[in-house]
Amino acid sequence: MLLLRRCPRLTRLCSVRHAATPALAPCAVPCSAPYAAPYAAPCAARFSSDTDFRESRWSRRWTHAAAGLLAGTGAVLAYALHQHQAEKADAITGPPVDKLPSSSPSSSPSSSSSSLPVFSQEEVSRHRSLEDGAWVTFKGGVYDITEFVAMHPGGDKILMAAGGAVEPFWALYAVHNQEHVLEILSAYKVGELSVEDQKKQQHLNPSDPFSADPERHPVLRINNLKPFNAEPPPEILTESYVTPNMLFFKRNHLPVPHVDPAAYELHVEIQGASAERGGTLSLTLDDLKTKFPKHTVTATIQCAGNRRSDMHKAKQVKGLNWGIGAISNATWGGAKLRDVLLAAGYSPDDAKWAKHVQFEGLDQDVGGTTYGASIPLKKALSEDGDCLLAYEMNGETLPADHGFPIRAIVPGTVGARNVKWLGKIVVSDVESSSHWQQNDYKGFSPSTDWDTVDYKTAPAIQELPVQSAITVPADGAVVDRDDEEVLLKGYAWSGGGREVVRVDVSIDGGKTWQTAQLKGSDEGGTAEAAAPPPGQAWAWKLWELTVPLPEDEQEMEVVCKAVDSSYNMQPDSILPIWNLRGVLSNAWHRVHVKIDEGGE
Amino acid sequence: MLLLRRCPRLTRLCSVRHAATPALAPCAVPCSAPYAAPYAAPCAARFSSDTDFRESRWSRRWTHAAAGLLAGTGAVLAYALHQHQAEKADAITGPPVDKLPSSSPSSSPSSSSSSLPVFSQEEVSRHRSLEDGAWVTFKGGVYDITEFVAMHPGGDKILMAAGGAVEPFWALYAVHNQEHVLEILSAYKVGELSVEDQKKQQHLNPSDPFSADPERHPVLRINNLKPFNAEPPPEILTESYVTPNMLFFKRNHLPVPHVDPAAYELHVEIQGASAERGGTLSLTLDDLKTKFPKHTVTATIQCAGNRRSDMHKAKQVKGLNWGIGAISNATWGGAKLRDVLLAAGYSPDDAKWAKHVQFEGLDQDVGGTTYGASIPLKKALSEDGDCLLAYEMNGETLPADHGFPIRAIVPGTVGARNVKWLGKIVVSDVESSSHWQQNDYKGFSPSTDWDTVDYKTAPAIQELPVQSAITVPADGAVVDRDDEEVLLKGYAWSGGGREVVRVDVSIDGGKTWQTAQLKGSDEGGTAEAAAPPPGQAWAWKLWELTVPLPEDEQEMEVVCKAVDSSYNMQPDSILPIWNLRGVLSNAWHRVHVKIDEGGE
């Protein structure tokens, strides 16, 4: 884990309890600890340049502190920026001259100054770390924020923006939308982005079916570019109960279709329905929004391949190498699928023959084959099934990457059945004939290989099994012995509306267990208070546990496993659930954390 | 495992494929293999008395053959008895004189003969094995069937009756109800049961609340006598898809109440219902049978403590030491709970406040406290929930041990909520306040002990997690290397109507896996053909797998694990799911089987 440099004064912020404290306050004790930094921060603290920074206990403490601060980013950021400005006024220790461009930064981040050098995007891209310098662009300006990293109240996450534009990250964390922030940034301006790069637009290549794909947030970890498949970094994933749209994992099977909302029509067909009582229905987007009551459902969607990388590590599998972030949670708004099926002429008599509801997407491959999947009719029709034809995601218009204008939301069911860019719905006696229903997204025995697999022998994945993962700290993280304890965070979810009722956490590889605190929503209610009706727990639980560092160990193997309302639990190990497609990877999640003993 | 002595001629029956063959035929080859038996069977085979029986490869083959024959008991028994009679006619080799009483057996099993000695039940009880002699009683006669054991087409299961009356076992296996069987038995009569013991009745002790408990089948393995808790032996459990009533596991919390069906009344109360539209209802047994449509549901019931002994072995728990037999499957007939609740005045408006349906039993402790439990209202009301007020079990009147006259059947839900001897139903905003709902039948973390347990922190168990076990062979069984393969059998089930879709079986302790054949019903349909609607797979699957004996191993560690339609799987090991009450014991099931290399 990267050791960050930080002024000890701000570091002390973190000796206060990390995430549990709603509003952190910096300690008022004058900062006098020995501290060395190649890029000394503009701070009133005194620094001792002959101390190896990497050995500094302060710096190690900050490593942990940065993680702890994540939860309180907003309040701390606002305060710290203000504090920084105040400190600048009486004692500025500028960055080493050899590390800065010769010209002084402009005081206005958006203004152009002829005295500043011009950099290409390529040059900016080379500054992505503390070692190489951390540069960002903002509205045409180039900023060397290397020295600010240690002061950033949001911790080292600021480095995720390094080498590129800072705007997408500020959009993510609304706290940056303040005058103070612009003032801070202005102090670090080192140049202008070349006009060419400023004007640079995404070149639409008519021969590339993916060229019209929407822009994505740069923080996403890309598993595949075309089609686009990406997941948010784990430590960001569990920052909020509802995942911001731009961070919600993206799992596209085909190019994103460009749908004109004015021309859009959703076709609904009840295959066996007689003509006289209907059986087909075409609905415009406006019809869906105005002719049916709007319902909202908060539901977690997980890809069947979430945590495939864990399975792949144990034994090679075929599929996108998802980490633990192919899962996200959102509040969806739209018409009830049930209402639309009834409007299309579905009647209880149809239950005699109808068994499935097929979805067909508007996304298609070069041969014109569209994405498709189906769900059991019972799920689609159930009052309590909460299936939606969603046009909203977290209160916003459904984004292009998530199925604009309409996505089928099938709570409790694998992502693959939550069909995006929905073009057609068919009530049928058979499942979707699509590749993804028939020959993919199924589970097999560990003994089944590509020579022996017979997709007909396994049911299509619908509900998913109980799952959980540790998002903080990351695997390989280092914590400071002096911190005495460490905050563990993660998520837990189960398919089929089964509520997560307990998360067991171990720091000794599974020998002994503690029970984590479950958080049902951003409102911070306890699990009991927020309990949904039985069988309708569509959303995940975030969990936290603060554990004392074990006294006689220099490493912890942190493990988590969840229990759902049917008391299903996660299997212990990967190999016995291994399958050739690497789906359903829900064995105990493990991360290794080192304890740095330090020493004065 | 007991090595049985058997005529090699009949043994050869088993060189035909065991369970897969619907009708087994004995081979016609004259029997001439060397064979020694302390109790030589009456058979045309020649015996060599100087060969150690226990070393005989024939005998070891029979050990396995007996297990293999279990599945085909009926057809084989009828045939073999007939065959035996035919053989007796031309070549009877009687039992050794020193092993038989001096008098000849009577030709009529039920007739009394003054020339035969009189034995007490106590004397009979001492003959429970091949070593001590295997005696049974039948209608006042005493029979030494030691020599018949090796010829019994049902294998060594006949020894389960040794030392007592044979009638309950014949009642269990209807094939015995034939003239031939009585003829065979007559040949082994050695005496009369004393008149005193013949007349002996169960002494009803008025101070013992359990003295009126019904008689139980002696094959049941008793975990606790008062209250009565017992399970069928595993190898019998999976002989039939539907468990015979007398073998169905018994789990009583209190004495069995003696209910007069003519006076019985079931009281139903909708707590919040206004008086004008009803809210209370009393129904006689006749009302339940005639005023509501009768529904039948085949549903497996499992005790939360099934397989507790596995958990107890890993680390001590409190509770009845159930083996793998606290689970059984039956077809229940009765009124739909939903229909009765609607008749009692439940209306959709009540859903605003009503959340639970409480059941109260007529069984009570000495202080008058009755057994009680509750289920979610949604489950009780669901059209697809299939909850019954059952008065029939496998086509018979509900037996006293199973809740006569009415039992609540809550498919997919832990046995404890399937309340027997049902006296009262209450629709309420709260769960049952009974001990069994509030302070028992809940799952906890392995770290929770009796000092720290807080029952309020865990939800009452309703749906159970996915489960499976190996019933054949038994742990410690010995198979013969010459058999080259072994038949493995077991059951698999999951709660909440989730169908078992796969059972993985390993014979190397879990390193490699094979997929077992699933049997959905006695009709032998494949899993697909018999697939119930999604979410309504209330009954277990029996499974079988014939595996070649591993070449370089002298022992197999057989393991099974099931996968349900939500792709939930069983956890690998016990300790991480250990809990102080020993419930929810669903880790992989393991049995150890030895391979006897034998040698000519």
Side-chain angles (χ1 to χ4, degrees), chain A residues 299-300 379 385 410-414 418 462-464 493-498 537-538:
Chain A
T300 296
K379 170 70 179 174
V410 189
T413 297
V414 62
N418 290 250
Q462 295 286 348
E463 293 179 2
L464 285 171
W493 181 75
S494 189
R498 290 179 288 281
W538 311 123

Side-chain angles (χ1 to χ4, degrees), chain A residues 355 376 378 384 441-448 456-466 494-496 498 501-502 504 510 512-515 528 533-536 561 564-577 584 586 588, chain B residues 355 376 378 384 441-448 456-466 494-496 498 501-502 504 510 512-515 528 533-536 561 564-577 584 586 588:
Chain A
K355 301 294 172 204
K378 189 188 281 190
D384 301 330
Y441 294 119
K442 294 186 171 190
F444 292 94
S445 142
S447 62
T448 302
K456 286 186 190 63
T457 61
I461 299 171
Q462 295 286 348
E463 293 179 2
L464 285 171
V466 61
S494 189
R498 290 179 288 281
V501 299
R502 200 180 79 230
D504 296 331
T512 61
W513 299 90
Q514 300 176 60
T515 304
E528 289 107 301
Q536 286 174 273
K561 62 181 172 82
D564 72 18
S565 54
S566 297
Y567 280 100
N568 271 301
M569 302 184 201
Q570 296 175 244
D572 308 20
S573 52
I574 286 278
L575 277 174
I577 62 166
L584 306 158
N586 75 327
W588 300 354
Chain B
K355 301 294 173 207
K378 188 188 280 190
D384 301 330
Y441 294 120
K442 294 186 170 190
F444 292 94
S445 141
S447 62
T448 302
K456 286 186 190 63
T457 61
I461 298 172
Q462 296 285 350
E463 295 179 359
L464 285 171
V466 61
S494 188
R498 288 178 288 280
V501 299
R502 200 179 80 230
D504 296 331
T512 61
W513 299 90
Q514 300 176 61
T515 304
E528 289 107 300
Q536 286 173 275
K561 63 182 171 83
D564 73 17
S565 55
S566 297
Y567 281 99
N568 272 300
M569 302 185 200
Q570 296 174 244
D572 309 20
S573 52
I574 286 278
L575 278 175
I577 62 166
L584 306 159
N586 75 327
W588 300 354

